Amino acid sequence: MVGVGAVFTLARFSEAFLVLRAQQSGIPLALVPLVMVAMNLVYAGAAYPFGQLSDRMNHKTLLTWGLVVLIAADLVLATNDHWTTVLAGVALWGLHMGITQGLLATMVADTAPANLRGTAFGVFNLVSGVAMLIASTVAGLLWDQLGASFTFYAGAAFCVIALLALIKKT
């Protein structure tokens, strides 16, 4: 589970790149932070219904859905930098967060022995943090060297790798 989570985190670099993409889209600088507000509103609105859904369906299936939504978000953000396209990609990113974030914690709790759950969460968060640092560093390098679109295409490619790892694990 920690390995899948790490690959999953490599696919989901920092949300700061959403703000950078919004800056490129022509959104006035003073309004760019609202991109994070929009993402978090979608995230908050999706978390409860998908949390309920996770109580009734297979977690790996739901995680697969979350990865597919993240692939869609990355592809939308890669294809165009018009502000409406960026907002659509940001909304998909927030939806992905609502589907997956609570689910990943549940999956860690379900796979860890009861007496090692605290350790399991610590290891999971440590590995996820290191993977996020690596993913964001790679994303920043790609952004500087090859541009924003390539960065989001690479994120989609990492999502496909995470999806294949998840499918293989089942």
Side-chain angles (χ1 to χ4, degrees):
M1 184 62 227
V2 171
V4 171
V7 174
F8 185 87
T9 303
L10 284 172
R12 205 199 95 225
F13 42 77
S14 171
E15 288 87 14
F17 290 95
L18 300 177
V19 172
L20 291 173
R21 193 62 163 162
Q23 270 184 302
Q24 288 182 334
S25 74
I27 295 174
L29 189 58
L31 299 179
V32 167
L34 292 178
V35 166
M36 293 303 295
V37 173
M39 187 212 62
N40 280 296
L41 285 172
V42 174
Y43 176 12
Y48 181 75
F50 280 103
Q52 281 191 318
L53 188 58
S54 77
D55 291 337
R56 296 188 307 272
M57 72 177 293
N58 182 287
H59 291 163
K60 289 178 185 169
T61 301
L62 195 54
L63 188 57
T64 299
W65 289 5
L67 281 166
V68 169
V69 171
L70 184 55
I71 290 168
D74 281 329
L75 293 176
V76 166
L77 289 162
T79 58
N80 193 317
D81 68 355
H82 189 270
W83 69 269
T84 57
T85 305
V86 170
L87 287 180
V90 166
L92 285 167
W93 195 289
L95 180 61
H96 138 77
M97 296 284 288
I99 295 170
T100 62
Q101 291 312 108
L103 181 61
L104 287 169
T106 299
M107 292 174 80
V108 169
D110 288 349
T111 57
N115 64 328
L116 294 176
R117 281 197 186 123
T119 302
F121 279 113
V123 169
F124 180 79
N125 286 315
L126 172 66
V127 171
S128 294
V130 169
M132 179 68 79
L133 178 63
I134 292 167
S136 295
T137 301
V138 169
L141 291 171
L142 292 173
W143 190 290
D144 283 343
Q145 299 299 316
L146 302 169
S149 291
F150 193 87
T151 302
F152 288 105
Y153 284 129
F158 274 113
C159 284
V160 170
I161 293 168
L163 195 55
L164 292 174
L166 184 63
I167 291 168
K168 185 178 179 181
K169 189 174 182 337
T170 57

PDB file of all heavy atoms in Angstrom, residues 78-115:
ATOM      1  N   ALA A  78      -3.061  20.448 -19.383  1.00  0.00           N
ATOM      2  CA  ALA A  78      -1.967  20.427 -20.357  1.00  0.00           C
ATOM      3  C   ALA A  78      -2.387  20.991 -21.705  1.00  0.00           C
ATOM      4  O   ALA A  78      -1.561  21.579 -22.410  1.00  0.00           O
ATOM      5  CB  ALA A  78      -1.467  18.990 -20.546  1.00  0.00           C
ATOM      6  N   THR A  79      -3.646  20.834 -22.068  1.00  0.00           N
ATOM      7  CA  THR A  79      -4.054  21.146 -23.430  1.00  0.00           C
ATOM      8  C   THR A  79      -4.241  22.624 -23.719  1.00  0.00           C
ATOM      9  O   THR A  79      -4.121  23.044 -24.868  1.00  0.00           O
ATOM     10  CB  THR A  79      -5.365  20.419 -23.800  1.00  0.00           C
ATOM     11  OG1 THR A  79      -6.373  20.797 -22.867  1.00  0.00           O
ATOM     12  CG2 THR A  79      -5.175  18.920 -23.790  1.00  0.00           C
ATOM     13  N   ASN A  80      -4.540  23.417 -22.697  1.00  0.00           N
ATOM     14  CA  ASN A  80      -4.883  24.801 -22.965  1.00  0.00           C
ATOM     15  C   ASN A  80      -4.683  25.612 -21.694  1.00  0.00           C
ATOM     16  O   ASN A  80      -4.909  25.110 -20.597  1.00  0.00           O
ATOM     17  CB  ASN A  80      -6.352  24.864 -23.402  1.00  0.00           C
ATOM     18  CG  ASN A  80      -6.745  26.183 -24.001  1.00  0.00           C
ATOM     19  OD1 ASN A  80      -6.388  27.242 -23.504  1.00  0.00           O
ATOM     20  ND2 ASN A  80      -7.506  26.117 -25.079  1.00  0.00           N
ATOM     21  N   ASP A  81      -4.294  26.876 -21.842  1.00  0.00           N
ATOM     22  CA  ASP A  81      -4.126  27.717 -20.659  1.00  0.00           C
ATOM     23  C   ASP A  81      -5.180  28.826 -20.580  1.00  0.00           C
ATOM     24  O   ASP A  81      -5.019  29.786 -19.826  1.00  0.00           O
ATOM     25  CB  ASP A  81      -2.710  28.285 -20.568  1.00  0.00           C
ATOM     26  CG  ASP A  81      -2.401  29.289 -21.662  1.00  0.00           C
ATOM     27  OD1 ASP A  81      -3.237  29.494 -22.558  1.00  0.00           O
ATOM     28  OD2 ASP A  81      -1.298  29.869 -21.618  1.00  0.00           O
ATOM     29  N   HIS A  82      -6.273  28.694 -21.331  1.00  0.00           N
ATOM     30  CA  HIS A  82      -7.365  29.655 -21.194  1.00  0.00           C
ATOM     31  C   HIS A  82      -7.964  29.504 -19.796  1.00  0.00           C
ATOM     32  O   HIS A  82      -8.044  28.398 -19.261  1.00  0.00           O
ATOM     33  CB  HIS A  82      -8.431  29.415 -22.265  1.00  0.00           C
ATOM     34  CG  HIS A  82      -9.465  30.492 -22.320  1.00  0.00           C
ATOM     35  ND1 HIS A  82     -10.621  30.438 -21.570  1.00  0.00           N
ATOM     36  CD2 HIS A  82      -9.507  31.650 -23.015  1.00  0.00           C
ATOM     37  CE1 HIS A  82     -11.338  31.525 -21.801  1.00  0.00           C
ATOM     38  NE2 HIS A  82     -10.689  32.278 -22.683  1.00  0.00           N
ATOM     39  N   TRP A  83      -8.403  30.602 -19.202  1.00  0.00           N
ATOM     40  CA  TRP A  83      -8.850  30.564 -17.805  1.00  0.00           C
ATOM     41  C   TRP A  83     -10.019  29.597 -17.595  1.00  0.00           C
ATOM     42  O   TRP A  83     -10.098  28.963 -16.538  1.00  0.00           O
ATOM     43  CB  TRP A  83      -9.167  31.964 -17.291  1.00  0.00           C
ATOM     44  CG  TRP A  83     -10.382  32.619 -17.887  1.00  0.00           C
ATOM     45  CD1 TRP A  83     -10.432  33.420 -18.985  1.00  0.00           C
ATOM     46  CD2 TRP A  83     -11.722  32.512 -17.410  1.00  0.00           C
ATOM     47  NE1 TRP A  83     -11.714  33.819 -19.227  1.00  0.00           N
ATOM     48  CE2 TRP A  83     -12.537  33.281 -18.269  1.00  0.00           C
ATOM     49  CE3 TRP A  83     -12.323  31.854 -16.343  1.00  0.00           C
ATOM     50  CZ2 TRP A  83     -13.904  33.404 -18.100  1.00  0.00           C
ATOM     51  CZ3 TRP A  83     -13.700  31.974 -16.170  1.00  0.00           C
ATOM     52  CH2 TRP A  83     -14.470  32.742 -17.043  1.00  0.00           C
ATOM     53  N   THR A  84     -10.900  29.435 -18.565  1.00  0.00           N
ATOM     54  CA  THR A  84     -12.019  28.489 -18.383  1.00  0.00           C
ATOM     55  C   THR A  84     -11.515  27.049 -18.364  1.00  0.00           C
ATOM     56  O   THR A  84     -12.001  26.230 -17.588  1.00  0.00           O
ATOM     57  CB  THR A  84     -13.087  28.668 -19.480  1.00  0.00           C
ATOM     58  OG1 THR A  84     -12.474  28.507 -20.762  1.00  0.00           O
ATOM     59  CG2 THR A  84     -13.755  30.019 -19.392  1.00  0.00           C
ATOM     60  N   THR A  85     -10.523  26.766 -19.184  1.00  0.00           N
ATOM     61  CA  THR A  85      -9.934  25.421 -19.213  1.00  0.00           C
ATOM     62  C   THR A  85      -9.190  25.156 -17.916  1.00  0.00           C
ATOM     63  O   THR A  85      -9.289  24.058 -17.346  1.00  0.00           O
ATOM     64  CB  THR A  85      -8.982  25.294 -20.419  1.00  0.00           C
ATOM     65  OG1 THR A  85      -9.686  25.635 -21.608  1.00  0.00           O
ATOM     66  CG2 THR A  85      -8.448  23.875 -20.540  1.00  0.00           C
ATOM     67  N   VAL A  86      -8.454  26.154 -17.452  1.00  0.00           N
ATOM     68  CA  VAL A  86      -7.726  26.008 -16.191  1.00  0.00           C
ATOM     69  C   VAL A  86      -8.705  25.744 -15.046  1.00  0.00           C
ATOM     70  O   VAL A  86      -8.485  24.850 -14.220  1.00  0.00           O
ATOM     71  CB  VAL A  86      -6.840  27.243 -15.910  1.00  0.00           C
ATOM     72  CG1 VAL A  86      -6.271  27.195 -14.501  1.00  0.00           C
ATOM     73  CG2 VAL A  86      -5.718  27.328 -16.936  1.00  0.00           C
ATOM     74  N   LEU A  87      -9.809  26.484 -15.009  1.00  0.00           N
ATOM     75  CA  LEU A  87     -10.793  26.260 -13.938  1.00  0.00           C
ATOM     76  C   LEU A  87     -11.418  24.867 -14.026  1.00  0.00           C
ATOM     77  O   LEU A  87     -11.672  24.233 -13.000  1.00  0.00           O
ATOM     78  CB  LEU A  87     -11.867  27.343 -13.964  1.00  0.00           C
ATOM     79  CG  LEU A  87     -11.408  28.714 -13.471  1.00  0.00           C
ATOM     80  CD1 LEU A  87     -12.554  29.718 -13.540  1.00  0.00           C
ATOM     81  CD2 LEU A  87     -10.846  28.649 -12.065  1.00  0.00           C
ATOM     82  N   ALA A  88     -11.645  24.374 -15.243  1.00  0.00           N
ATOM     83  CA  ALA A  88     -12.162  23.004 -15.398  1.00  0.00           C
ATOM     84  C   ALA A  88     -11.147  21.989 -14.860  1.00  0.00           C
ATOM     85  O   ALA A  88     -11.508  21.046 -14.151  1.00  0.00           O
ATOM     86  CB  ALA A  88     -12.486  22.721 -16.862  1.00  0.00           C
ATOM     87  N   GLY A  89      -9.864  22.192 -15.185  1.00  0.00           N
ATOM     88  CA  GLY A  89      -8.817  21.301 -14.682  1.00  0.00           C
ATOM     89  C   GLY A  89      -8.690  21.368 -13.166  1.00  0.00           C
ATOM     90  O   GLY A  89      -8.515  20.339 -12.493  1.00  0.00           O
ATOM     91  N   VAL A  90      -8.817  22.559 -12.628  1.00  0.00           N
ATOM     92  CA  VAL A  90      -8.755  22.746 -11.167  1.00  0.00           C
ATOM     93  C   VAL A  90      -9.936  22.040 -10.498  1.00  0.00           C
ATOM     94  O   VAL A  90      -9.776  21.390  -9.455  1.00  0.00           O
ATOM     95  CB  VAL A  90      -8.721  24.250 -10.829  1.00  0.00           C
ATOM     96  CG1 VAL A  90      -9.007  24.508  -9.364  1.00  0.00           C
ATOM     97  CG2 VAL A  90      -7.365  24.839 -11.216  1.00  0.00           C
ATOM     98  N   ALA A  91     -11.117  22.141 -11.092  1.00  0.00           N
ATOM     99  CA  ALA A  91     -12.288  21.459 -10.533  1.00  0.00           C
ATOM    100  C   ALA A  91     -12.099  19.943 -10.564  1.00  0.00           C
ATOM    101  O   ALA A  91     -12.413  19.250  -9.583  1.00  0.00           O
ATOM    102  CB  ALA A  91     -13.547  21.851 -11.310  1.00  0.00           C
ATOM    103  N   LEU A  92     -11.557  19.428 -11.657  1.00  0.00           N
ATOM    104  CA  LEU A  92     -11.282  17.986 -11.726  1.00  0.00           C
ATOM    105  C   LEU A  92     -10.237  17.580 -10.690  1.00  0.00           C
ATOM    106  O   LEU A  92     -10.345  16.525 -10.069  1.00  0.00           O
ATOM    107  CB  LEU A  92     -10.811  17.601 -13.135  1.00  0.00           C
ATOM    108  CG  LEU A  92     -11.892  17.561 -14.200  1.00  0.00           C
ATOM    109  CD1 LEU A  92     -11.274  17.474 -15.598  1.00  0.00           C
ATOM    110  CD2 LEU A  92     -12.845  16.393 -13.956  1.00  0.00           C
ATOM    111  N   TRP A  93      -9.221  18.425 -10.488  1.00  0.00           N
ATOM    112  CA  TRP A  93      -8.191  18.150  -9.475  1.00  0.00           C
ATOM    113  C   TRP A  93      -8.836  18.076  -8.087  1.00  0.00           C
ATOM    114  O   TRP A  93      -8.534  17.185  -7.298  1.00  0.00           O
ATOM    115  CB  TRP A  93      -7.119  19.235  -9.525  1.00  0.00           C
ATOM    116  CG  TRP A  93      -5.838  18.901  -8.815  1.00  0.00           C
ATOM    117  CD1 TRP A  93      -5.648  18.808  -7.472  1.00  0.00           C
ATOM    118  CD2 TRP A  93      -4.570  18.625  -9.413  1.00  0.00           C
ATOM    119  NE1 TRP A  93      -4.341  18.511  -7.188  1.00  0.00           N
ATOM    120  CE2 TRP A  93      -3.666  18.387  -8.363  1.00  0.00           C
ATOM    121  CE3 TRP A  93      -4.124  18.579 -10.729  1.00  0.00           C
ATOM    122  CZ2 TRP A  93      -2.322  18.103  -8.604  1.00  0.00           C
ATOM    123  CZ3 TRP A  93      -2.791  18.291 -10.948  1.00  0.00           C
ATOM    124  CH2 TRP A  93      -1.905  18.053  -9.901  1.00  0.00           C
ATOM    125  N   GLY A  94      -9.737  19.026  -7.789  1.00  0.00           N
ATOM    126  CA  GLY A  94     -10.437  19.009  -6.502  1.00  0.00           C
ATOM    127  C   GLY A  94     -11.305  17.768  -6.352  1.00  0.00           C
ATOM    128  O   GLY A  94     -11.375  17.172  -5.268  1.00  0.00           O
ATOM    129  N   LEU A  95     -11.963  17.362  -7.432  1.00  0.00           N
ATOM    130  CA  LEU A  95     -12.777  16.139  -7.403  1.00  0.00           C
ATOM    131  C   LEU A  95     -11.900  14.927  -7.104  1.00  0.00           C
ATOM    132  O   LEU A  95     -12.254  14.079  -6.273  1.00  0.00           O
ATOM    133  CB  LEU A  95     -13.509  15.968  -8.736  1.00  0.00           C
ATOM    134  CG  LEU A  95     -14.396  14.730  -8.870  1.00  0.00           C
ATOM    135  CD1 LEU A  95     -15.505  14.728  -7.825  1.00  0.00           C
ATOM    136  CD2 LEU A  95     -14.976  14.660 -10.282  1.00  0.00           C
ATOM    137  N   HIS A  96     -10.754  14.866  -7.757  1.00  0.00           N
ATOM    138  CA  HIS A  96      -9.809  13.775  -7.497  1.00  0.00           C
ATOM    139  C   HIS A  96      -9.405  13.743  -6.017  1.00  0.00           C
ATOM    140  O   HIS A  96      -9.352  12.685  -5.402  1.00  0.00           O
ATOM    141  CB  HIS A  96      -8.577  13.930  -8.398  1.00  0.00           C
ATOM    142  CG  HIS A  96      -7.281  13.672  -7.723  1.00  0.00           C
ATOM    143  ND1 HIS A  96      -6.827  12.405  -7.450  1.00  0.00           N
ATOM    144  CD2 HIS A  96      -6.351  14.516  -7.220  1.00  0.00           C
ATOM    145  CE1 HIS A  96      -5.669  12.490  -6.818  1.00  0.00           C
ATOM    146  NE2 HIS A  96      -5.370  13.758  -6.669  1.00  0.00           N
ATOM    147  N   MET A  97      -9.145  14.916  -5.454  1.00  0.00           N
ATOM    148  CA  MET A  97      -8.773  14.977  -4.039  1.00  0.00           C
ATOM    149  C   MET A  97      -9.912  14.466  -3.162  1.00  0.00           C
ATOM    150  O   MET A  97      -9.683  13.721  -2.201  1.00  0.00           O
ATOM    151  CB  MET A  97      -8.412  16.417  -3.655  1.00  0.00           C
ATOM    152  CG  MET A  97      -7.200  16.981  -4.370  1.00  0.00           C
ATOM    153  SD  MET A  97      -5.658  16.352  -3.733  1.00  0.00           S
ATOM    154  CE  MET A  97      -5.596  17.197  -2.172  1.00  0.00           C
ATOM    155  N   GLY A  98     -11.133  14.856  -3.481  1.00  0.00           N
ATOM    156  CA  GLY A  98     -12.284  14.402  -2.712  1.00  0.00           C
ATOM    157  C   GLY A  98     -12.477  12.898  -2.781  1.00  0.00           C
ATOM    158  O   GLY A  98     -12.916  12.271  -1.818  1.00  0.00           O
ATOM    159  N   ILE A  99     -12.157  12.316  -3.914  1.00  0.00           N
ATOM    160  CA  ILE A  99     -12.291  10.866  -4.086  1.00  0.00           C
ATOM    161  C   ILE A  99     -11.205  10.119  -3.337  1.00  0.00           C
ATOM    162  O   ILE A  99     -11.465   9.089  -2.711  1.00  0.00           O
ATOM    163  CB  ILE A  99     -12.241  10.488  -5.587  1.00  0.00           C
ATOM    164  CG1 ILE A  99     -13.446  11.057  -6.333  1.00  0.00           C
ATOM    165  CG2 ILE A  99     -12.172   8.966  -5.767  1.00  0.00           C
ATOM    166  CD1 ILE A  99     -13.349  10.949  -7.853  1.00  0.00           C
ATOM    167  N   THR A 100      -9.964  10.627  -3.371  1.00  0.00           N
ATOM    168  CA  THR A 100      -8.824   9.806  -2.956  1.00  0.00           C
ATOM    169  C   THR A 100      -8.248  10.061  -1.572  1.00  0.00           C
ATOM    170  O   THR A 100      -7.731   9.129  -0.956  1.00  0.00           O
ATOM    171  CB  THR A 100      -7.669   9.961  -3.966  1.00  0.00           C
ATOM    172  OG1 THR A 100      -7.245  11.332  -3.984  1.00  0.00           O
ATOM    173  CG2 THR A 100      -8.083   9.511  -5.346  1.00  0.00           C
ATOM    174  N   GLN A 101      -8.297  11.279  -1.073  1.00  0.00           N
ATOM    175  CA  GLN A 101      -7.520  11.573   0.130  1.00  0.00           C
ATOM    176  C   GLN A 101      -7.992  10.792   1.357  1.00  0.00           C
ATOM    177  O   GLN A 101      -7.179  10.201   2.056  1.00  0.00           O
ATOM    178  CB  GLN A 101      -7.481  13.070   0.386  1.00  0.00           C
ATOM    179  CG  GLN A 101      -6.655  13.821  -0.643  1.00  0.00           C
ATOM    180  CD  GLN A 101      -5.295  13.192  -0.898  1.00  0.00           C
ATOM    181  OE1 GLN A 101      -5.068  12.611  -1.955  1.00  0.00           O
ATOM    182  NE2 GLN A 101      -4.409  13.283   0.042  1.00  0.00           N
ATOM    183  N   GLY A 102      -9.263  10.807   1.643  1.00  0.00           N
ATOM    184  CA  GLY A 102      -9.761  10.016   2.771  1.00  0.00           C
ATOM    185  C   GLY A 102      -9.636   8.521   2.511  1.00  0.00           C
ATOM    186  O   GLY A 102      -9.392   7.726   3.422  1.00  0.00           O
ATOM    187  N   LEU A 103      -9.779   8.161   1.255  1.00  0.00           N
ATOM    188  CA  LEU A 103      -9.692   6.753   0.862  1.00  0.00           C
ATOM    189  C   LEU A 103      -8.301   6.189   1.116  1.00  0.00           C
ATOM    190  O   LEU A 103      -8.164   5.061   1.612  1.00  0.00           O
ATOM    191  CB  LEU A 103     -10.067   6.629  -0.615  1.00  0.00           C
ATOM    192  CG  LEU A 103     -10.068   5.237  -1.211  1.00  0.00           C
ATOM    193  CD1 LEU A 103     -11.075   4.342  -0.496  1.00  0.00           C
ATOM    194  CD2 LEU A 103     -10.392   5.317  -2.695  1.00  0.00           C
ATOM    195  N   LEU A 104      -7.266   6.957   0.796  1.00  0.00           N
ATOM    196  CA  LEU A 104      -5.903   6.482   1.046  1.00  0.00           C
ATOM    197  C   LEU A 104      -5.673   6.225   2.534  1.00  0.00           C
ATOM    198  O   LEU A 104      -5.075   5.212   2.908  1.00  0.00           O
ATOM    199  CB  LEU A 104      -4.879   7.481   0.503  1.00  0.00           C
ATOM    200  CG  LEU A 104      -4.749   7.530  -1.017  1.00  0.00           C
ATOM    201  CD1 LEU A 104      -3.906   8.730  -1.438  1.00  0.00           C
ATOM    202  CD2 LEU A 104      -4.154   6.249  -1.553  1.00  0.00           C
ATOM    203  N   ALA A 105      -6.171   7.117   3.373  1.00  0.00           N
ATOM    204  CA  ALA A 105      -6.026   6.919   4.825  1.00  0.00           C
ATOM    205  C   ALA A 105      -6.764   5.661   5.267  1.00  0.00           C
ATOM    206  O   ALA A 105      -6.255   4.882   6.088  1.00  0.00           O
ATOM    207  CB  ALA A 105      -6.549   8.136   5.572  1.00  0.00           C
ATOM    208  N   THR A 106      -7.944   5.446   4.719  1.00  0.00           N
ATOM    209  CA  THR A 106      -8.716   4.243   5.049  1.00  0.00           C
ATOM    210  C   THR A 106      -7.977   2.988   4.614  1.00  0.00           C
ATOM    211  O   THR A 106      -7.934   1.994   5.345  1.00  0.00           O
ATOM    212  CB  THR A 106     -10.098   4.298   4.373  1.00  0.00           C
ATOM    213  OG1 THR A 106     -10.790   5.440   4.861  1.00  0.00           O
ATOM    214  CG2 THR A 106     -10.908   3.050   4.642  1.00  0.00           C
ATOM    215  N   MET A 107      -7.392   3.038   3.426  1.00  0.00           N
ATOM    216  CA  MET A 107      -6.665   1.865   2.919  1.00  0.00           C
ATOM    217  C   MET A 107      -5.447   1.554   3.768  1.00  0.00           C
ATOM    218  O   MET A 107      -5.125   0.380   3.993  1.00  0.00           O
ATOM    219  CB  MET A 107      -6.304   2.079   1.451  1.00  0.00           C
ATOM    220  CG  MET A 107      -7.525   2.090   0.537  1.00  0.00           C
ATOM    221  SD  MET A 107      -7.163   2.509  -1.178  1.00  0.00           S
ATOM    222  CE  MET A 107      -6.541   0.932  -1.773  1.00  0.00           C
ATOM    223  N   VAL A 108      -4.765   2.587   4.259  1.00  0.00           N
ATOM    224  CA  VAL A 108      -3.629   2.357   5.161  1.00  0.00           C
ATOM    225  C   VAL A 108      -4.130   1.697   6.442  1.00  0.00           C
ATOM    226  O   VAL A 108      -3.555   0.707   6.910  1.00  0.00           O
ATOM    227  CB  VAL A 108      -2.881   3.675   5.468  1.00  0.00           C
ATOM    228  CG1 VAL A 108      -1.888   3.492   6.608  1.00  0.00           C
ATOM    229  CG2 VAL A 108      -2.170   4.179   4.225  1.00  0.00           C
ATOM    230  N   ALA A 109      -5.201   2.234   7.006  1.00  0.00           N
ATOM    231  CA  ALA A 109      -5.747   1.666   8.245  1.00  0.00           C
ATOM    232  C   ALA A 109      -6.194   0.224   8.044  1.00  0.00           C
ATOM    233  O   ALA A 109      -5.995  -0.622   8.928  1.00  0.00           O
ATOM    234  CB  ALA A 109      -6.921   2.515   8.735  1.00  0.00           C
ATOM    235  N   ASP A 110      -6.783  -0.072   6.892  1.00  0.00           N
ATOM    236  CA  ASP A 110      -7.273  -1.426   6.628  1.00  0.00           C
ATOM    237  C   ASP A 110      -6.150  -2.438   6.441  1.00  0.00           C
ATOM    238  O   ASP A 110      -6.326  -3.619   6.747  1.00  0.00           O
ATOM    239  CB  ASP A 110      -8.168  -1.443   5.380  1.00  0.00           C
ATOM    240  CG  ASP A 110      -9.516  -0.791   5.610  1.00  0.00           C
ATOM    241  OD1 ASP A 110      -9.860  -0.504   6.777  1.00  0.00           O
ATOM    242  OD2 ASP A 110     -10.217  -0.566   4.604  1.00  0.00           O
ATOM    243  N   THR A 111      -5.004  -2.006   5.921  1.00  0.00           N
ATOM    244  CA  THR A 111      -3.924  -2.953   5.637  1.00  0.00           C
ATOM    245  C   THR A 111      -2.940  -3.105   6.794  1.00  0.00           C
ATOM    246  O   THR A 111      -2.184  -4.072   6.818  1.00  0.00           O
ATOM    247  CB  THR A 111      -3.145  -2.548   4.368  1.00  0.00           C
ATOM    248  OG1 THR A 111      -2.631  -1.236   4.528  1.00  0.00           O
ATOM    249  CG2 THR A 111      -4.042  -2.613   3.139  1.00  0.00           C
ATOM    250  N   ALA A 112      -2.950  -2.189   7.730  1.00  0.00           N
ATOM    251  CA  ALA A 112      -2.003  -2.237   8.845  1.00  0.00           C
ATOM    252  C   ALA A 112      -2.592  -3.041  10.005  1.00  0.00           C
ATOM    253  O   ALA A 112      -3.779  -2.942  10.297  1.00  0.00           O
ATOM    254  CB  ALA A 112      -1.675  -0.829   9.322  1.00  0.00           C
ATOM    255  N   PRO A 113      -1.750  -3.825  10.676  1.00  0.00           N
ATOM    256  CA  PRO A 113      -2.220  -4.496  11.895  1.00  0.00           C
ATOM    257  C   PRO A 113      -2.631  -3.441  12.935  1.00  0.00           C
ATOM    258  O   PRO A 113      -2.038  -2.351  12.988  1.00  0.00           O
ATOM    259  CB  PRO A 113      -1.002  -5.280  12.386  1.00  0.00           C
ATOM    260  CG  PRO A 113      -0.033  -5.304  11.254  1.00  0.00           C
ATOM    261  CD  PRO A 113      -0.352  -4.138  10.373  1.00  0.00           C
ATOM    262  N   ALA A 114      -3.618  -3.754  13.739  1.00  0.00           N
ATOM    263  CA  ALA A 114      -4.162  -2.788  14.706  1.00  0.00           C
ATOM    264  C   ALA A 114      -3.078  -2.198  15.606  1.00  0.00           C
ATOM    265  O   ALA A 114      -3.095  -0.995  15.890  1.00  0.00           O
ATOM    266  CB  ALA A 114      -5.249  -3.451  15.545  1.00  0.00           C
ATOM    267  N   ASN A 115      -2.120  -3.003  16.019  1.00  0.00           N
ATOM    268  CA  ASN A 115      -1.094  -2.514  16.936  1.00  0.00           C
ATOM    269  C   ASN A 115      -0.002  -1.693  16.240  1.00  0.00           C
ATOM    270  O   ASN A 115       0.862  -1.135  16.901  1.00  0.00           O
ATOM    271  CB  ASN A 115      -0.460  -3.679  17.702  1.00  0.00           C
ATOM    272  CG  ASN A 115       0.275  -4.642  16.792  1.00  0.00           C
ATOM    273  OD1 ASN A 115      -0.109  -4.834  15.632  1.00  0.00           O
ATOM    274  ND2 ASN A 115       1.304  -5.266  17.323  1.00  0.00           N
TER     275      ASN A 115
END
